[in-house]
Amino acid sequence: DKGVLRLRLLPSAQPLGAGAAEPSPSCWCDACSRTIRMSDVRYKCGNCANFDLCEQCEALASHDPSHVLLKLRPEAQAANGPLPT
């Protein structure tokens, strides 16, 4: 068994990810500069590189209506992590 490395995995008392810091705000609204937190609905433009809207600005139709906006609900962001800004 020369050259063979054996690893022994031991159970951890702390679940994976426990004690991790609360995620920071995911991004800012490009229309009003309001912080969009992971607990808020976020609209990400599928056409523009790095363009996000808060729920209030999306309701005002403040972006090009021909662009695709992805609606990211808080549950989806929590389960999958934030999409890149």
Side-chain angles (χ1 to χ4, degrees), residues 14-34:
Q14 190 172 15
L16 195 61
E22 181 66 27
S24 62
S26 56
C27 63
W28 291 265
C29 177
D30 287 295
C32 71
S33 300
R34 183 178 306 149

Side-chain angles (χ1 to χ4, degrees), residues 17-84:
E22 181 66 27
S24 62
S26 56
C27 63
W28 291 265
C29 177
D30 287 295
C32 71
S33 300
R34 183 178 306 149
T35 299
I36 305 173
R37 301 197 179 279
M38 296 265 302
S39 58
D40 299 330
V41 172
R42 171 182 168 197
Y43 290 87
K44 179 155 186 61
C45 183
N47 298 86
C48 298
N50 192 15
F51 190 89
D52 300 281
L53 291 174
C54 67
E55 198 166 20
Q56 292 79 12
C57 290
E58 189 280 331
L60 298 172
S62 62
H63 191 54
D64 187 332
S66 69
H67 285 196
V68 174
L69 290 178
L70 304 171
K71 180 178 182 177
L72 303 171
R73 293 188 173 108
E75 300 83 8
Q77 294 185 79
N80 301 296
L83 284 178

